[in-house]
Amino acid sequence: MYFLQLPDYNPLNGINTNKHGKFPFLSSLSGLFEPAASTFEYQRGFPFERIETDEQQVFYVSEPNLAKVFKNKVAEHNEILLETTRPITEEYTKELMQLFYKGYLLGLDGFNTEIGPAFPSLGLSHQKEMLEQFMDYCQRDLYFEGFAIPQLLHNLGYIQACLVSAFKEYKNLSLLTTKAEPVQIHKTLPENTSVQAPITTGTKSALSKIPLKYPVGDIITIWLVLLDLPQCKSLSLTPEFKAESDVIELLGSMFADISGEHSKLPDSAHRFYELPLDYQPILYLLMHATYKLNYTYTRLPLEEYSKCLKAAFSVYDAIELNYMPGNFTKKQPLAIAAIKELENSSYAKNTLQILSKIPNYRITV
């Protein structure tokens, strides 16, 4: 475990965001901020953005949401919003950068402490393995969700600097390994066989189910709103799901309950649903909420949930898979408004109650 000395930090859950209600919430014109990939791409040339302040302070950022905030051109094309409504100011952007930079400077000094005193005595291969694990650990906690909490920004700066230092050390060791040690090739395939990614022949093939560790009862509750949504007037939806068992069968075809409790989900076979296009924002919202609730437990990236949507619903046939993660929250207000139309629906009320647990949805019930 690392970073135990950081205030408001938990080794299991990462940086604490419980104080989010006291500080502004940031997002972009393209939607809410989402996490980067769950593992750090340390094989890339230099996976960091160089940031320089007006005071010639230089630091490097790999967290994409912070890079977007710090590189935002307020006077030219302001893409960052406060409370999802008003543009961020240049003065406030500089204030956030300074909070991050102070933590960054401490992280540069703290890297050797985090990696431990035994590190220099390890062999090259063990040093590289330890750095790989450390970089993945940093990557896990480097997520700026949008809450501009001063201590959170300070902690992110500290962890980011540790990641930069670890990457630099790793690259230096790789050069030593290349010159001093023979390259070991782990043969998992017959010789003369190239490694290729699996090829899927179509979106309607069976998919790998997403593991759920968040209480499945809540996940079922938010999806049960599908039963009453055809009654809303703002969207044209056919009543595809007519009973609770229909929704539970859908969830059993997409998810697997690994919480260890008696599963409430059946092991349903994969099914492809032909639905009207207006279902798209609704399904985006329900799947994104599932992802947000489940993320702390499984750390699965949003791309996995995108694959699930595309494999299960016709409304995503025309959308390329790599574009889907950026689309999840663009029509979120439309979907939430449609659910709020159902004033007499107990399913809608229960759904909104659980969605209100997700801080950056800003739902009050």
Side-chain angles (χ1 to χ4, degrees), residues 5 48 60-61 64 76 121 145 150 177 198 206 214 221 235 241 268-269 274 276 290 292 321 339:
Q5 85 289 355
F48 302 99
Y60 295 89
V61 178
E76 300 173 19
S121 64
E145 195 172 4
T177 304
Y214 187 84
T221 297
L235 298 175
F241 305 95
S268 308
E274 297 279 355
T290 304
K292 295 292 286 186
L321 184 62
I339 295 174

Side-chain angles (χ1 to χ4, degrees), residues 59-306:
F59 56 95
Y60 295 89
V61 178
S62 60
E63 206 289 329
N65 304 319
L66 286 170
K68 189 179 294 185
V69 172
F70 296 155
K71 297 182 71 176
N72 180 50
K73 303 296 184 183
V74 174
E76 300 173 19
H77 182 57
N78 198 341
E79 296 186 352
I80 303 301
L81 301 175
L82 293 176
E83 306 298 344
T84 69
T85 55
R86 64 184 188 276
I88 194 172
T89 63
E90 188 168 353
E91 291 73 21
Y92 190 54
T93 302
K94 291 179 179 179
E95 180 182 335
L96 299 179
M97 291 175 72
Q98 286 304 310
L99 289 168
F100 181 89
Y101 184 65
K102 288 178 181 178
Y104 187 90
L105 291 178
L106 290 176
L108 292 177
D109 291 335
F111 168 70
N112 289 331
T113 301
E114 298 295 345
I115 206 69
F119 178 77
S121 64
L122 299 176
L124 283 178
S125 60
H126 287 155
Q127 285 182 330
K128 289 183 65 179
E129 182 180 0
M130 186 174 183
L131 287 170
E132 289 173 7
Q133 294 174 353
F134 179 74
M135 287 187 285
D136 282 342
Y137 195 95
C138 292
Q139 180 76 353
R140 186 203 74 167
D141 292 331
L142 269 178
Y143 172 31
F144 180 62
E145 195 172 4
F147 301 116
I149 305 169
Q151 187 62 58
L152 179 144
L153 286 159
H154 180 278
N155 288 353
L156 288 173
Y158 182 95
I159 296 172
Q160 180 69 84
C162 285
L163 178 56
V164 171
S165 298
F167 178 81
K168 179 181 177 181
E169 186 74 18
Y170 184 83
K171 285 298 182 182
N172 289 337
L173 290 177
S174 296
L175 291 174
L176 288 175
T177 304
T178 302
K179 294 177 180 179
E181 296 181 352
V183 178
Q184 296 181 358
I185 302 175
H186 300 281
K187 296 181 180 179
T188 56
L189 294 173
E191 290 187 14
N192 300 323
T193 303
S194 59
V195 180
Q196 295 181 340
I199 298 174
T200 54
T201 56
T203 60
K204 301 175 179 61
S205 59
L207 71 156
S208 178
K209 295 183 180 181
I210 293 176
L212 295 178
K213 291 193 75 174
Y214 187 84
V216 171
D218 281 3
I219 302 297
I220 293 174
T221 297
I222 62 175
W223 285 80
L224 284 176
V225 76
L226 289 171
L227 296 174
D228 283 351
L229 271 169
Q231 300 173 23
C232 79
K233 297 179 180 179
S234 60
L235 298 175
S236 179
L237 306 174
T238 56
E240 176 68 31
F241 305 95
K242 299 179 176 63
E244 290 188 3
S245 58
D246 295 336
V247 176
I248 293 173
E249 180 182 355
L250 161 67
L251 297 178
S253 70
M254 297 190 297
F255 306 111
D257 182 3
I258 62 168
S259 63
E261 301 178 2
H262 179 69
S263 180
K264 298 179 182 179
L265 292 182
D267 185 16
S268 308
H270 174 253
R271 176 181 167 186
F272 188 75
Y273 291 81
E274 297 279 355
L275 299 175
L277 194 59
D278 274 4
Y279 265 101
Q280 188 183 107
I282 296 297
L283 295 170
Y284 263 141
L285 171 66
L286 299 180
M287 188 62 88
H288 188 264
T290 304
Y291 152 74
K292 295 292 286 186
L293 295 170
N294 196 42
Y295 181 77
T296 300
Y297 300 87
T298 63
R299 298 287 176 175
L300 278 178
L302 194 55
E303 286 79 4
E304 297 303 314
Y305 296 81
S306 302

Side-chain angles (χ1 to χ4, degrees), residues 35-59:
S38 57
T39 56
F40 182 65
E41 298 181 13
Y42 47 79
Q43 300 294 354
R44 286 175 55 190
F46 192 72
F48 302 99
E49 297 270 3
R50 185 181 190 274
I51 308 293
E52 184 172 353
T53 69
D54 291 344
E55 293 77 25
Q56 282 76 52
Q57 299 163 328
V58 176
F59 56 95

